[in-house]
């Protein structure tokens, strides 16, 4: 990264899966990091605390500064305290209520965190003169798009979950702030990110845990649904490339798919995990759940052209890496 232009980056959701990996890589590349996280109870808080310990160790190893701040991005007073104290050069907005299915059960909370929180961060960017802003969007904005692979030029006006709707709305709010206040913004549509430290409620982690423990797996649908899984290090490299892209001396608002462009069917994913663990698997078939899309499939040609993004980790290698990490940490 261009350390002469960017010295301090604020990462919200820093204690989470993607956030912790991003913070570590930024520190390795010579950037000081301010992390914000609410440490909510969506999943085990101890997992997030352990992630923070890993970030702190990376900061120490690389001689850089990392500050972990506990707070809610909807808390204007908290945010003003942070932005007043630190001279922040760029914001990476990862903090959000995640998950398609829970958003159907708690839509008001998702709208509050994902939209009110995002808007308050954009207000801080405006008020404190921060001209580089990354928004973590999602492949879920494409809904059940019939055209594959999904392109940033495709219409995304039919989200099928409140979570997806908040991500689409977030992109629009970002454009508004870019247009009104000349903030350079990149919206990154992440495609099903996985890897070590992945949230325990997500498919690869959950399936690995169940197969490892000899438990049955519940599979929603007939196994033909497919996801474009993207390894966390590829998403991190794409995100850092996007930060650099925003440093160009021009007005920028852009949207990028960060995916693997290689969807795998659910039944094949389960089989791959079982083979990698060298354990048998018993599957219980359940009906498809509301909000689940049939396929995700990224066209990342725009990111390749503008960010030099190209995913390096295949699903086979990524699952091998994840299983190795899981087994090592399963004691």
């Amino acid at each position: 990264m261009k350390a002469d232009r960017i010295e301090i980056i604020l990462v919200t959701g820093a204690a989470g899966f993607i956030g912790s990996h991003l913070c570590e890589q930024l520190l390795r590349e010579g950037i000081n990091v301010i992390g914000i996280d609410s440490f909510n109870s969506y999943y085990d808080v101890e997992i997030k605390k352990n992630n923070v310990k890993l970030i702190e160790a990376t900061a120490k190893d690389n001689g850089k500064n990392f500050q972990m701040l506990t707070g809610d991005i909807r808390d204007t007073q908290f945010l003003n305290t942070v932005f007043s104290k630190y001279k922040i050069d760029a914001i990476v907005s990862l903090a959000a209520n995640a998950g398609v299915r829970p958003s159907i059960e708690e839509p008001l909370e998702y709208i509050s965190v994902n939209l009110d929180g995002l808007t308050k961060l954009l207000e801080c960017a405006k008020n404190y003169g921060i001209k580089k802003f990354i928004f973590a969007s999602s492949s879920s904005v494409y809904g059940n798009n019939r055209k594959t692979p999904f392109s940033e030029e495709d219409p995304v006006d039919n989200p099928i979950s409140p979570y997806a709707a908040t991500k689409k709305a977030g992109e629009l709010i970002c454009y508004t702030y870019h247009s009104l206040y000349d903030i350079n913004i990149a919206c990154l549509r992440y495609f099903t990110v996985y890897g070590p430290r992945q949230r325990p409620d997500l498919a690869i982690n959950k399936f690995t845990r169940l197969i490892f423990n000899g438990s049955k797996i519940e599979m929603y649908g007939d196994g033909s649904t497919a996801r474009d899984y993207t390894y966390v290090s590829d998403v991190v490299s794409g995100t850092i490339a996007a930060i650099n892209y925003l440093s160009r001396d021009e007005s920028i608002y852009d949207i990028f798919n960060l995916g693997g462009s290689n969807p795998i069917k659910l039944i094949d994913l389960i089989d791959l995990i079982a083979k990698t663990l060298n354990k048998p698997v018993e599957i219980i078939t359940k009906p498809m759940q509301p909000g689940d899309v049939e396929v995700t499939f990224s066209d990342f040609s725009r990111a390749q052209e503008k960010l030099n993004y190209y995913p390096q980790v295949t699903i086979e290698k990524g699952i091998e890496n994840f299983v190795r990490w899981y087994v090592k940490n399963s004691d």
Side-chain angles (χ1 to χ4, degrees):
M1 291 193 61
K2 302 171 184 176
D4 58 326
R5 302 192 67 173
I6 300 177
E7 295 184 358
I8 300 177
I9 291 179
L10 175 74
V11 178
T12 70
F17 165 46
I18 299 174
S20 60
H21 281 281
L22 176 63
C23 289
E24 286 187 284
Q25 189 58 33
L26 289 170
L27 291 162
R28 292 187 194 105
E29 297 196 15
I31 306 298
N32 299 305
V33 177
I34 309 298
I36 289 177
D37 207 291
S38 67
F39 291 91
N40 65 32
S41 58
Y42 181 70
Y43 60 95
D44 187 356
V45 173
E46 289 303 313
I47 294 174
K48 300 175 187 179
K49 290 180 179 179
N50 287 333
N51 289 346
V52 171
K53 290 177 183 176
L54 293 170
I55 304 170
E56 290 171 341
T58 302
K60 184 177 180 181
D61 290 344
N62 289 273
K64 305 309 295 183
N65 293 321
F66 171 70
Q67 295 291 324
M68 187 71 238
L69 307 174
T70 302
D72 193 313
I73 57 172
R74 295 169 292 180
D75 184 341
T76 302
Q77 183 177 350
F78 165 72
L79 290 179
N80 282 327
T81 300
V82 173
F83 282 87
S84 298
K85 183 175 182 179
Y86 300 100
K87 189 181 183 304
I88 294 162
D89 300 306
I91 300 169
V92 181
S93 175
L94 296 176
N97 272 20
V100 167
R101 293 168 190 166
S103 77
I104 297 172
E105 299 169 4
E106 297 185 84
L108 296 180
E109 182 68 11
Y110 273 69
I111 289 168
S112 174
V113 174
N114 296 5
L115 295 181
D116 182 36
L118 171 63
T119 305
K120 285 176 176 172
L121 283 172
L122 287 164
E123 275 288 292
C124 287
K126 177 194 77 174
N127 294 336
Y128 293 89
I130 299 164
K131 295 299 185 181
K132 304 173 189 69
F133 194 100
I134 298 288
F135 169 57
S137 187
S138 166
S139 61
S140 66
V141 300
Y142 289 106
N144 274 318
N145 194 351
R146 297 298 174 186
K147 172 189 157 292
T148 57
F150 302 161
S151 164
E152 297 90 345
E153 304 300 323
D154 296 340
V156 287
D157 298 325
N158 299 290
I160 62 172
S161 70
Y163 172 73
T166 64
K167 290 301 185 179
K168 161 68 172 175
E171 293 178 358
L172 296 176
I173 293 169
C174 284
Y175 180 81
T176 301
Y177 274 78
H178 159 74
S179 177
L180 288 173
Y181 307 114
D182 198 30
I183 303 170
N184 280 2
I185 299 179
C187 301
L188 307 180
R189 292 175 178 169
Y190 294 152
F191 280 70
T192 317
V193 187
Y194 75 105
R197 310 207 293 263
Q198 186 192 44
R199 291 199 333 257
D201 59 302
L202 293 177
I204 288 174
N205 194 326
K206 183 167 65 175
F207 292 157
T208 300
R209 181 171 65 253
L210 291 170
I211 296 171
F212 182 77
N213 292 324
S215 303
K216 298 176 182 178
I217 281 183
E218 292 184 349
M219 182 178 72
Y220 296 97
D222 63 2
S224 64
T225 57
R227 294 289 179 271
D228 190 355
Y229 288 97
T230 316
Y231 197 70
V232 65
S233 60
D234 289 324
V235 161
V236 165
S237 68
T239 302
I240 293 176
I243 299 169
N244 278 329
Y245 175 66
L246 297 183
S247 299
R248 297 167 60 165
D249 189 21
E250 58 185 277
S251 180
I252 296 171
Y253 173 84
D254 220 330
I255 298 174
F256 296 103
N257 288 337
L258 295 186
S261 203
N262 186 29
I264 182 172
K265 290 182 179 179
L266 178 58
I267 189 67
D268 294 334
L269 174 71
I270 293 171
D271 183 59
L272 176 60
I273 294 171
K275 286 181 176 176
T276 306
L277 283 165
N278 194 27
K279 287 180 176 286
V281 58
E282 185 176 350
I283 298 171
I284 301 171
T285 303
K286 297 271 191 173
M288 283 279 287
Q289 293 200 316
D292 281 357
V293 299
E294 295 172 10
V295 64
T296 62
F297 188 176
S298 66
D299 172 355
F300 59 78
S301 56
R302 177 185 286 183
Q304 189 174 6
E305 175 188 351
K306 295 188 176 184
L307 307 180
N308 196 29
Y309 168 81
Y310 198 87
Q312 301 295 309
V313 182
T314 64
I315 186 66
E316 292 80 10
K317 181 61 177 175
I319 292 297
E320 179 184 327
N321 292 346
F322 180 82
V323 165
R324 185 186 306 115
W325 169 83
Y326 181 87
V327 171
K328 181 180 177 182
N329 291 275
S330 63
D331 298 335

